[in-house]
């Protein structure tokens, strides 16, 4: 069936397809995507596609339409039902090589979308635009050979993690799932590993009645911190809406950001794989690379974006990767995809060797830094502005010395006592800013320097807290 309503070009993001239901993402979009993705899978020699969904209210209708489209494209569909995005990735790594997860991730309640794996890799960029073109050119032809079977992936997924991760001692953990889909599986799995689990908001509810399931925002960790301060647990774990990002909080209520988590995980991985490459994104702390080197590893900075980090890891054969946003990718002992439940298990494996896990986490190197900041731009303006900033930095290189200029992803300047970053978001029309200093004075100087440069290319730029 040819596309009924016109497709909004704005739903085709850098790493996924995402929009507001039922305005820009609806059943007709899902049907068209199923037909286009099915055709793309077959063109690459694949005849089986796994499908899952998170706990959002629009999920069941979108999945039904998506599956109809895939079957019309002649594909055999494995319907996983309601699962985390990592469980969909697990299916695409163990029972087939292609998959689509219907998920709005950490977007607002009425949003939904699609994360896709084609031939064993998360697709992004040009591949997503190619799908858009297929959807627009659909001639309505039906290909025979399609069908659906249901698969409960819980047992093999559970057994793979429980068979891999061993805690040195039982641990008391507090878990906040924010009513996201991880609530259906993460607490159960942690108990199977030997944890005593205090649960917050683990009932899956697409209305998100308590707080939004986005652990990268400190406000969403307030309930977990309050529970920890009652002394009920040694560590707090918070999951995002589709279960691929993890937040970590100590018993004394300190938030341990993902770049600091990576220091601990890298040191552990490098004991078994000395000399391995560890990939991290441009938003991560300046303290991370020296920590990786001190542990015997090779640090490698990459562009921000979970699909981009995964692709870079495959290119260089990295053992571990991570992003400031909370996506952590273990290739050592795991499949290289981001899974908050597996990451939590590996973190607890390390911390269970210590009598005071919070002291271990709080002792990780840190700096003075800003949260992620945004500057709103007109649609299509962010990337040209980032390019202008790169050119301005090169022109001012002498005055910026001894700062080292990187144009890997926007503009990052590293001084001996901190760094500043301004890059274009790949998902929303904003510039993303982050500043870090080894002292409050360094932080203030670095922030002032980069903000002055930003005002040169965008006079009147207004900074605000990141929306997500």
């Amino acid at each position: 069936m040819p596309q009924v309503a016109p497709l909004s070009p704005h739903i085709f993001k850098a790493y996924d397809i995402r929009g507001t239901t039922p305005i820009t993402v609806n059943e007709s979009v899902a049907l068209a995507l199923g037909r286009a993705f099915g055709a793309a899978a077959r063109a690459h020699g694949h005849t089986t596609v796994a499908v899952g969904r998170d706990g959002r209210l629009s999920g069941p209708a979108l999945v039904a339409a998506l599956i109809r489209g895939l079957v019309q494209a002649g594909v055999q569909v494995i319907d996983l039902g309601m699962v985390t995005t990592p469980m969909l990735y697990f299916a695409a790594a163990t029972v087939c090589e292609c998959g689509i997860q219907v998920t709005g991730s950490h977007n607002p309640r009425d949003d939904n979308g699609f994360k896709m794996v084609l031939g064993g890799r998360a697709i992004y960029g040009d591949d997503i635009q190619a799908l858009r073109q297929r959807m627009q050119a659909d001639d309505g032809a039906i290909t025979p050979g399609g069908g659906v079977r249901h698969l409960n992936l819980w047992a093999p997924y559970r057994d793979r993690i429980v068979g891999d991760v061993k805690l040195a001692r039982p641990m008391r953990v507090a878990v906040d799932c924010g009513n996201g889909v991880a609530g259906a599986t993460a607490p159960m799995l942690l108990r199977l590993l030997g944890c005593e689990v205090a649960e917050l908001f683990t009932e899956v509810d697409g209305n998100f009645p308590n707080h939004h399931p986005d652990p990268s925002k400190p406000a969403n960790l307030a309930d977990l911190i309050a529970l920890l301060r009652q002394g009920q647990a040694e560590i707090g774990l918070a999951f995002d809406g589709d279960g691929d990002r993890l937040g970590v909080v100590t018993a004394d209520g300190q938030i341990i950001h993902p770049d600091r988590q990576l220091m601990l995980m890298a040191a552990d991985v490098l004991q078994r794989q000395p000399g391995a490459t560890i990939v991290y994104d441009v938003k991560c702390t300046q303290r991370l690379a020296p920590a990786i080197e001190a542990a015997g590893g090779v640090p490698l900075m990459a562009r921000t974006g979970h699909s981009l980090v995964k692709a870079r890891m495959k290119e260089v054969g990295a053992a571990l990767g991570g992003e400031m946003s909370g996506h952590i990718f273990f290739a050592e002992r795991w499949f290289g995809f981001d899974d908050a439940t597996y990451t939590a298990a590996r973190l607890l494996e390390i911390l269970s060797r210590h009598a005071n896990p919070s002291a271990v986490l709080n002792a990780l190197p840190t700096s003075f830094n800003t949260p992620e900041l945004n500057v709103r731009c007109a649609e299509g303006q962010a990337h040209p502005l980032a390019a202008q900033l790169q050119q301005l930095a090169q022109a001012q290189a002498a005055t910026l010395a001894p700062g080292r200029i990187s144009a890997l992803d926007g503009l990052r300047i590293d001084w001996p006592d901190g760094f500043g970053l301004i890059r274009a978001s790949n998902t929303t029309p904003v510039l993303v800013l982050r500043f870090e200093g080894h002292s409050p004075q360094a932080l203030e100087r670095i922030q002032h320097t980069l903000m002055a440069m930003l005002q040169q290319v965008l006079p009147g730029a207004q900074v605000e807290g990141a929306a997500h």
Side-chain angles (χ1 to χ4, degrees), residues 176-192:
D176 184 342
C177 294
N179 300 107
V181 70
T185 50
M188 205 171 358
L189 208 146
L190 293 172
R191 288 190 176 98
L192 290 169

Side-chain angles (χ1 to χ4, degrees), residues 26-215:
N26 48 45
E27 290 170 61
S28 68
V29 171
L31 177 72
L33 174 63
R35 291 172 55 79
F37 188 90
R42 287 176 62 91
H44 284 82
H46 303 287
T47 55
T48 305
V49 176
V51 171
R53 67 172 177 89
D54 67 14
R56 286 174 184 256
L57 305 177
S58 56
L62 291 175
V63 160
L66 178 69
I67 289 174
R68 276 202 310 278
L70 287 164
V71 171
Q72 287 176 14
V75 163
Q76 287 292 321
V77 176
I78 301 174
D79 183 358
L80 303 175
M82 188 177 73
V83 292
T84 63
T85 294
M87 288 175 74
L88 181 278
Y89 293 155
F90 182 81
T94 58
V95 297
C96 60
E97 292 183 75
C98 301
I100 303 178
Q101 175 78 352
V102 177
T103 174
S105 187
H106 57 276
N107 271 38
R109 188 190 73 174
D110 294 329
D111 282 14
N112 216 331
F114 310 89
K115 290 183 180 177
M116 295 159 285
V117 178
L118 181 59
R121 63 183 190 90
I123 66 169
Y124 60 92
D126 292 343
D127 292 327
I128 289 176
Q129 293 305 319
L131 276 176
R132 174 187 170 186
Q133 288 158 14
R134 275 187 190 268
M135 291 165 75
Q136 289 170 328
D138 192 348
D139 63 2
I142 291 179
T143 305
V148 188
R149 69 181 172 98
H150 296 269
L151 177 66
N152 185 338
L153 204 65
W154 167 242
Y157 174 77
R158 171 199 69 201
D159 293 347
R160 175 65 176 76
I161 297 178
V162 173
D164 175 69
V165 177
K166 303 298 175 197
L167 270 59
R169 62 176 178 85
M171 290 190 69
R172 292 178 298 117
V173 300
V175 169
D176 184 342
C177 294
N179 300 107
V181 70
T185 50
M188 205 171 358
L189 208 146
L190 293 172
R191 288 190 176 98
L192 290 169
L193 290 172
C195 294
E196 183 184 312
V197 183
E199 297 184 27
L200 280 176
F201 318 133
T202 53
E203 180 187 346
V204 181
D205 183 347
N207 289 302
F208 306 128
N210 295 290
H211 63 73
H212 205 61
D214 181 1

Side-chain angles (χ1 to χ4, degrees), residues 161 165-175 186-187 189-197 233-237 239 246 248-249 261 264-265 268 330 333 340-354 357-358 361:
I161 297 178
V165 177
K166 303 298 175 197
L167 270 59
R169 62 176 178 85
M171 290 190 69
R172 292 178 298 117
V173 300
V175 169
L189 208 146
L190 293 172
R191 288 190 176 98
L192 290 169
L193 290 172
C195 294
E196 183 184 312
V197 183
E234 301 173 82
I235 187 170
L237 304 170
F239 294 82
L246 183 70
V248 176
V249 182
Q261 297 169 33
L264 195 63
M265 295 165 188
D268 178 64
F330 282 93
R333 292 166 45 187
T341 302
Y342 182 74
T343 297
R346 288 287 292 263
L347 179 64
L348 293 173
E349 182 180 71
I350 298 165
L351 294 175
S352 69
R353 302 171 196 146
H354 301 273
S358 290
L361 292 169

